[in-house]
Amino acid sequence: MTDVMKAVRRAGLAALTITAALLAGCGNGDKTDTKAPAAAGNGVADAEPAAILDKARTALKAAKSFHVKGAMSENGEVTQIDLKVAGADVVGTVAFSGAKLEMLAVGGTRYVRPDEAFWTMIDSSGKTAKLMKQAVGDKWIKPAAGDASLGSFFFGASDIEEMLTPGGTVTKGEAKTVDGVPAIGLVDSADTKTVLYVATTGEPYPVKMERPAPEGLSFSEFNQTFADLKAPPAAEVVDQASLKKK
């Protein structure tokens, strides 16, 4: 899904993991294994593809949070994504070309914490990495208001409308169990290599985005509270504007 992939690169979708339980009982000396009743379907399996997408979009908007992890690529460059999203708040990392950038957005304030490889990627001479290590160390950087460089790494993770807007016509794909969740696949005519799976039991959350290896995204921790999604202490933050004065 062309537009979906672009949005996922900026943040991601969500998932609900469902596991089946086995019940064992004994009676009259005979031992019988009984499977738990199958979870009731949520109706999306029989719906039209566009309606399935609408239901997934509605479910995501109603969700409090989710965790997306995996990899996507563009022009041959693979980006590793590990993000926890709660509304407009985000915490996690993106990694590419051997560099990693920690990201944090809380209450409308954004912070980034690049590793040394990130700065070296920007300036191969190593001078920038050395200066930043001295000026910042392990602290978070608070990008300047309107910053179009460090601030641009926040990919619009909470834009659910864009995440679930296909580039072409959506059709049904295979129905199968994905990460323990019964799901139905959706295929976008504009990007047939991508299959978006939507849960067919419980809430109709997007479950997984499958892509040719090494790409693909998995989703978990839906509606969870993330302890690391909080503003860092002031002593652990450096304002980007102050760095430009050095």
Side-chain angles (χ1 to χ4, degrees):
M1 295 184 179
T2 304
D3 289 345
V4 173
M5 284 178 59
K6 290 179 180 177
V8 169
R9 291 188 189 104
R10 295 194 296 271
L13 302 170
L16 177 68
T17 300
I18 302 173
T19 57
L22 292 176
L23 302 178
C26 296
N28 298 323
D30 294 324
K31 185 176 181 180
T32 303
D33 289 338
T34 306
K35 285 187 177 180
N42 57 20
V44 301
D46 298 323
E48 292 298 317
I52 296 174
L53 205 54
D54 285 341
K55 289 177 181 293
R57 185 182 295 114
T58 299
L60 273 175
K61 286 182 177 180
K64 295 179 181 179
S65 62
F66 59 86
H67 182 185
V68 57
K69 185 176 182 179
M72 299 299 285
S73 69
E74 187 170 10
N75 298 324
E77 179 163 317
V78 177
T79 298
Q80 298 290 333
I81 302 166
D82 188 351
L83 298 172
K84 296 174 183 176
V85 181
D89 293 348
V90 182
V91 63
T93 63
V94 292
F96 48 92
S97 301
K100 183 172 74 173
L101 179 72
E102 293 181 72
M103 298 164 41
L104 176 62
V106 181
T109 301
R110 296 172 173 178
Y111 309 87
V112 293
R113 186 156 58 186
D115 66 0
E116 187 170 345
F118 179 90
W119 297 119
T120 301
M121 181 175 62
I122 293 176
D123 178 10
S124 60
S125 71
K127 293 181 179 179
T128 298
K130 184 177 180 179
L131 289 173
M132 284 298 164
K133 187 174 181 61
Q134 293 174 344
V136 179
D138 295 327
K139 295 181 179 180
W140 289 93
I141 298 174
K142 180 181 176 181
D147 175 74
S149 55
L150 292 178
S152 67
F153 283 92
F154 291 84
F155 308 114
S158 58
D159 192 344
I160 293 172
E161 285 292 338
E162 188 169 1
M163 286 183 195
L164 297 181
T165 298
T169 301
V170 178
T171 57
K172 286 185 184 179
E174 181 185 7
K176 66 178 184 178
T177 299
V178 180
D179 294 340
V181 183
I184 184 71
L186 293 178
V187 182
D188 186 347
S189 62
D191 179 20
T192 58
K193 292 183 179 180
T194 298
V195 182
L196 178 68
Y197 285 96
V198 178
T200 55
T201 60
E203 292 294 330
Y205 297 127
V207 174
K208 192 169 190 175
M209 182 171 285
E210 289 194 348
R211 288 279 299 160
E215 299 181 54
L217 297 171
S218 60
F219 315 95
S220 62
E221 298 180 82
F222 206 63
N223 285 324
Q224 298 298 305
T225 298
F226 303 126
D228 49 349
L229 191 48
K230 61 183 180 181
E236 296 178 11
V237 177
V238 174
D239 197 297
Q240 183 182 3
S242 70
L243 295 176
K244 293 181 179 180
K245 298 176 182 179
K246 294 181 182 296

